[in-house]
Amino acid sequence: MPRKDDYDTMVYKMIRDSDVIIEVVDARFPSLSRTKKFENMVLRNPSKTLLIAMNKVDLVPNHIVTKWKKILEKERISIIPTSARERLSTSILRNRIISSADKEFFYITSCFIGLPNTGKSSLINILKGRSSAPVAPIPGFTKALQVLRITTRLRIFDTPGVIPVKLSMADQILIGIIRPEKLSDPVKAAWSLIHRIDEINPNIISKTYEIEYESPPEFLEKFAEKRHKKKKGGELDLETAARVLLAEHTNKAKIPIWEDPDKYLIEKREKEKERSV
Ligand SMILES: Nc1nc2c(ncn2[C@@H]2O[C@H](COP(=O)(O)OP(=O)(O)OP(=O)(O)O)[C@@H](O)[C@H]2O)c(=O)[nH]1
Ligand SMILES: [Mg+2]
């Protein structure tokens, strides 16, 4: 498996060679799943265009998607809310890629970048009209660059997802970009997921699983009980329960959770105020 630096270098090269760069972010976590480092590389170069596909909008209520779109457009970024699953706005995306490219050149090269599991390969497959880029509910599924001819004019590069260094482990688990089986301590990872979700929406886990709890460890114990995850001696098998919870979140998006756009705006304004003092 290539090292993180190799992934970064690969993505940098792709951006360098592309006219239009599509950053695919998860519509549930539009702020957390952006990679500013790559965005800035595109924005520094006036001959390149950055489009953000806010994918998986089927997992978020419409009014939240609309709010995020407005907020990010104020930052002068072109946002296209999409759902590869429900084939929403995928032709809009294709047309925007083609219309954004420099008209002088007939051939357009574009690349899809973003965190693992955001739906890059799924979107490309829809643009192409048949499955060509392998897709899986497994973060880090695309391992190497893949070039796909979408039309005679348009070539698209699919890139492996890159995890930004700045993202905390709790946020990586929240966004679902780490394979649950790769976590060495699933119990701690599950606690941290529960804690992080409670911070964003304190009632959503108990509503989803119909379990009342005071703390993440208590939730996991009750969850193990409810799912009959027990060791041979009858003792609760917290490790298996934790893996089930993590897999349901990462692979099936079972808990309806998303970043609050209003909170994002408040925090952003506070940061700007601090900077101006
Ligand atoms: N609900 C929902 N799931 C989606 C959508 N698009 C993709 N997925 C699912 O998300 C998972 C990851 O999709 P991929 O297309 O493999 O994602 P990727 O960004 O190419 O992932 P890497 O190759 O790991 O970087 C798969 O289980 C897809 O079915 C969407 O619009 N909505
Ligand atoms: Mg992929």
Side-chain angles (χ1 to χ4, degrees), residues 35-263:
T35 32
K36 294 267 174 68
K37 181 171 81 168
F38 294 130
E39 284 180 19
N40 289 335
M41 187 187 170
V42 183
L43 295 171
R44 271 199 302 269
N45 189 331
S47 68
K48 297 187 189 296
T49 304
L50 175 72
L51 301 176
I52 293 191
M54 208 161 74
N55 191 41
K56 304 198 184 184
V57 292
D58 54 292
L59 299 177
V60 183
N62 280 341
H63 71 279
I64 300 285
V65 173
T66 310
K67 262 191 185 168
W68 274 115
K69 188 167 182 299
K70 267 196 194 146
I71 292 174
L72 298 175
E73 274 169 353
K74 276 216 172 115
E75 295 180 16
R76 302 218 185 125
I77 297 211
S78 303
I79 306 288
I80 303 155
T82 59
S83 166
R85 176 155 296 172
E86 295 186 352
R87 294 177 174 255
L88 284 176
S89 305
T90 46
S91 21
I92 295 179
L93 179 63
R94 183 202 281 121
N95 295 341
R96 284 289 288 280
I97 296 172
I98 294 172
S99 64
S100 306
D102 194 333
K103 304 278 184 311
E104 267 186 51
F105 295 98
F106 184 74
Y107 294 105
I108 304 162
T109 302
S110 132
C111 71
F112 276 55
I113 62 168
L115 266 50
N117 226 15
T118 49
K120 299 176 289 301
S121 302
S122 302
L123 282 172
I124 293 173
N125 282 337
I126 293 177
L127 297 187
K128 185 150 173 66
R130 64 191 155 89
S131 291
S132 309
V135 170
I138 300 167
F141 193 69
T142 305
K143 292 279 186 284
L145 273 185
Q146 257 205 313
V147 61
L148 296 141
R149 202 169 299 280
I150 306 297
T151 66
T152 39
R153 278 192 80 190
L154 176 62
R155 274 190 321 164
I156 289 186
F157 280 94
D158 188 8
T159 68
V162 178
I163 301 177
V165 192
K166 275 205 292 196
L167 210 54
S168 70
M169 186 51 100
D171 281 342
Q172 292 183 33
I173 298 168
L174 173 73
I175 304 174
I177 56 179
I178 301 190
R179 288 190 192 192
E181 66 273 21
K182 289 242 160 121
L183 291 158
S184 56
D185 190 337
V187 172
K188 270 200 188 141
W191 289 348
S192 114
L193 174 69
I194 300 159
H195 178 76
R196 189 71 183 92
I197 293 178
D198 283 348
E199 278 179 346
I200 301 173
N201 184 345
N203 302 316
I204 200 66
I205 297 185
S206 42
K207 216 169 135 192
T208 306
Y209 288 107
E210 295 178 342
I211 294 174
E212 297 296 326
Y213 62 97
E214 296 290 332
S215 66
E218 188 191 346
F219 173 82
L220 196 61
E221 281 174 21
K222 289 186 169 173
F223 179 78
E225 190 89 52
K226 197 166 181 179
R227 296 294 180 92
H228 310 292
K229 301 296 173 206
K230 293 201 173 146
K231 292 182 184 162
K232 276 202 182 120
E235 187 193 337
L236 287 176
D237 186 351
L238 293 180
E239 195 171 314
T240 303
R243 287 202 194 277
V244 170
L245 180 75
L246 291 161
E248 286 186 358
H249 175 64
T250 306
N251 308 339
K252 298 195 183 135
K254 181 152 171 131
I255 306 163
I257 186 79
W258 46 82
E259 271 184 285
D260 178 353
D262 294 327
K263 203 168 156 213

